[in-house]
């Protein structure tokens, strides 16, 4: 028995009324936590990552989401037979317009099914790629492995063995649909439904292609060299046109959508195009000032720390932030200093510190004086 799929909303940990932003936020959080690059060798994380991507692919697409909300997994399963949403009665509720149109002269509008043999655009493929903080800042190239459906080279997408052609379905005459009339207490209802003889395809293949088994498509793996632009941020998506699944009946291919996951950095964090970090300084450096070597994404730079710098002071390194995604300019780096209190002082050091404290006295500490002399 096939393993039953979990509810997509449950997979992403969201409610059925979740907004697009809530769906996207939940996906980014879970995809980042379970990404294979961040969990090497963890098969469970890899399985969760695939499940998360599958759920997001459906819930982020308005049409697929609507079908899933109405019919569950069957609504988005390409292997689920055409017209399978009609219920046990076999009645196609999508054709109520045809029924009411027969009574009211078409006032409700007749829904026409698309020609099954018309060109159809291929579906897009979603992938996720993990990169480092520096790669996100300056751009890079990544090889992305993609499994996609392509037109079968043997039958050229017809699904037929070379030298043969499909037969136009004699029941639906190539439309893929037939009209069904039902006698009810209210009269005769006429509705359209998928043709049972051809399965809604409009044609019948008597000699299927041996390579694609009559589908007209072959699944192949490709490695696509992808350029990641400088300045890209965590959760942003790159679209590569025409690198998705192949279209049907001569339709265009879908796109490859690559969502970026940026690995955390041990020193830096990002806000917009700004880089933020914290720098430890000694008590002596804070009091006397010092020339510091500050790490940046470009390498170390020198900064002159002024005398009397207080802990929590933030200074700016102009132009040392993240390059703008449009290539125009760069952000800045903001460095917040904090005084690292010395530990394990020896006797001589402690005595020197006591003498320093006595020499300075409370008159040199304005904030301390305000705090301890406060009276209500």
């Amino acid at each position: 028995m096939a393993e039953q799929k979990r509810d997509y909303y449950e997979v992403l940990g969201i409610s059925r009324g979740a907004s697009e932003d809530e769906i996207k936020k939940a996906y980014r959080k879970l995809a980042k936590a379970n990404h294979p690059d961040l969990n090497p060798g963890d098969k469970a994380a890899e399985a969760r990552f695939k499940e998360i991507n599958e759920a997001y692919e459906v819930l982020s697409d308005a049409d697929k989401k609507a079908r899933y909300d109405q019919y569950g997994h069957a609504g988005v399963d390409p292997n689920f037979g055409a017209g399978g949403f009609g219920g046990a009665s076999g009645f196609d509720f999508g054709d109520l317009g045809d029924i009411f149109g027969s009574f009211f002269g078409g006032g409700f509008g007749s829904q026409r099914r698309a020609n099954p043999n018309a060109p159809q655009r291929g579906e897009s493929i979603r992938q996720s790629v993990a990169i480092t903080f520096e790669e996100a800042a300056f751009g890079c190239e990544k090889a992305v492995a993609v499994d996609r459906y392509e037109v079968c080279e043997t039958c050229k997408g017809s699904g037929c063995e070379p030298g043969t052609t499909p037969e136009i379905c004699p029941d639906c005459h190539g439309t893929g649909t037939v009209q069904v009339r039902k006698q009810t207490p209210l009269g005769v209802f006429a509705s359209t439904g998928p043709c049972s003889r051809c399965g809604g395809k409009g044609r019948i293949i008597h000699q299927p292609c041996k390579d694609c088994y009559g589908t007209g498509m072959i699944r192949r793996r490709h490695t696509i060299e992808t350029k990641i632009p400088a300045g890209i941020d965590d959760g942003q998506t790159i679209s590569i046109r025409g690198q998705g699944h192949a279209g049907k009946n001569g339709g265009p291919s879908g796109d490859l959508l690559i969502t970026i996951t940026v690995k955390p950095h041990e020193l830096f964090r990002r806000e917009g195009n700004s880089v933020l970090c914290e720098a430890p300084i000694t008590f002596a450096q804070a009091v006397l000032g010092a020339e510091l070597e500050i790490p940046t994404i470009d390498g170390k730079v020198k900064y002159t720390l002024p005398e009397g710098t207080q802990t929590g002071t933030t200074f700016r390194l102009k132009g040392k932030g993240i390059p703008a995604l449009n290539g125009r300019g760069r952000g800045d780096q903001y460095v917040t200093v904090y005084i690292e209190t010395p530990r394990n002082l020896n006797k001589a050091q402690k005595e020197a510190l006591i003498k320093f404290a006595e020499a300075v006295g409370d008159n040199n500490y304005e904030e301390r004086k305000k705090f301890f002399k406060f009276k209500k």
Side-chain angles (χ1 to χ4, degrees), residues 30 49 102 211 287:
L30 292 171
F49 182 73
S102 65
D211 289 342
V287 174

Side-chain angles (χ1 to χ4, degrees), residues 195 250 293:
C195 176
E293 281 195 339

Side-chain angles (χ1 to χ4, degrees), residues 22 26 46:
E22 289 172 329
E46 183 179 349

Side-chain angles (χ1 to χ4, degrees), residues 281-284 338-346 349-350 353:
I281 59 174
T282 67
F283 179 71
Y338 64 93
I339 298 173
E340 189 173 25
T341 304
R343 300 182 179 90
N344 304 317
L345 298 180
N346 59 35
Q349 291 168 333
K350 290 179 181 179
L353 195 56

Side-chain angles (χ1 to χ4, degrees), residues 77 103-104 113 175 221 299 306 322 335 343:
D77 186 351
F103 280 102
F104 302 108
R113 294 179 182 271
T175 64
R221 168 161 288 202
I322 305 293
V335 183
R343 300 182 179 90

Side-chain angles (χ1 to χ4, degrees), residues 189-222:
F189 280 170
S191 65
T192 57
C195 176
S196 59
R197 184 164 185 173
C198 66
K201 296 178 180 178
R203 57 182 188 169
I204 301 171
I205 297 176
H206 295 289
Q207 294 177 270
C209 172
K210 292 182 176 60
D211 289 342
C212 67
Y213 305 102
T215 64
M217 295 287 176
I218 295 289
R219 189 180 183 93
R220 290 194 177 95
R221 168 161 288 202
H222 289 268

Side-chain angles (χ1 to χ4, degrees), residues 20-266:
E20 289 184 20
D21 287 341
E22 289 172 329
I23 293 171
K24 185 178 292 185
K25 186 176 180 180
Y27 166 72
R28 288 178 178 177
K29 181 180 178 181
L30 292 171
K32 188 171 185 177
N34 294 280
H35 197 286
D37 289 349
L38 302 180
N39 300 275
D42 189 339
K43 295 297 183 183
E46 183 179 349
R48 288 194 299 271
F49 182 73
K50 291 180 179 179
E51 186 181 41
I52 290 161
N53 273 284
E54 180 181 326
Y56 182 66
E57 184 177 357
V58 171
L59 298 185
S60 63
D61 185 301
D63 291 337
K64 291 182 181 178
K65 182 176 181 294
R67 296 201 303 270
Y68 179 74
D69 288 344
Q70 187 170 4
Y71 304 112
H73 291 291
V76 291
D77 186 351
N79 296 318
F80 195 81
F85 310 135
S89 66
F91 183 79
D92 189 347
F93 290 96
D95 292 306
L96 284 174
D98 290 336
I99 297 173
F100 287 107
S102 65
F103 280 102
F104 302 108
F108 279 78
S110 179
Q111 295 183 353
R112 299 295 181 189
R113 294 179 182 271
N115 181 353
N117 298 312
Q120 299 176 34
R121 186 177 186 272
E123 290 197 7
S124 294
I125 299 173
R126 289 188 177 274
Q127 292 280 66
S128 182
V129 171
I131 61 176
T132 66
F133 193 92
E134 289 83 359
E135 287 174 332
F138 298 116
C140 60
E141 289 191 0
K142 290 289 181 180
V144 181
V146 176
D147 290 320
R148 68 186 181 198
Y149 286 106
E150 299 181 344
V151 174
C152 175
E153 295 177 356
T154 303
C155 67
K156 310 303 181 186
S158 70
C160 298
E161 188 67 16
T164 67
T165 56
E167 175 192 1
I168 299 297
C169 178
D171 289 1
C172 67
H173 307 290
T175 64
T177 60
V178 292
Q179 190 176 73
V180 179
R181 294 180 176 272
K182 293 185 178 181
Q183 180 70 46
T184 73
L186 297 177
V188 178
F189 280 170
S191 65
T192 57
C195 176
S196 59
R197 184 164 185 173
C198 66
K201 296 178 180 178
R203 57 182 188 169
I204 301 171
I205 297 176
H206 295 289
Q207 294 177 270
C209 172
K210 292 182 176 60
D211 289 342
C212 67
Y213 305 102
T215 64
M217 295 287 176
I218 295 289
R219 189 180 183 93
R220 290 194 177 95
R221 168 161 288 202
H222 289 268
T223 299
I224 299 174
E225 294 294 332
T226 305
K227 187 174 182 179
I228 311 295
I232 198 162
D233 205 352
D234 184 69
Q236 290 185 320
T237 299
I238 301 169
S239 178
I240 304 178
R241 294 183 64 84
Q243 293 294 340
H245 294 301
K248 295 180 179 179
N249 305 321
S253 296
D255 300 332
L256 173 60
L257 306 175
I258 301 174
T259 299
I260 299 299
T261 299
V262 181
K263 300 175 184 177
H265 195 279
E266 60 177 334

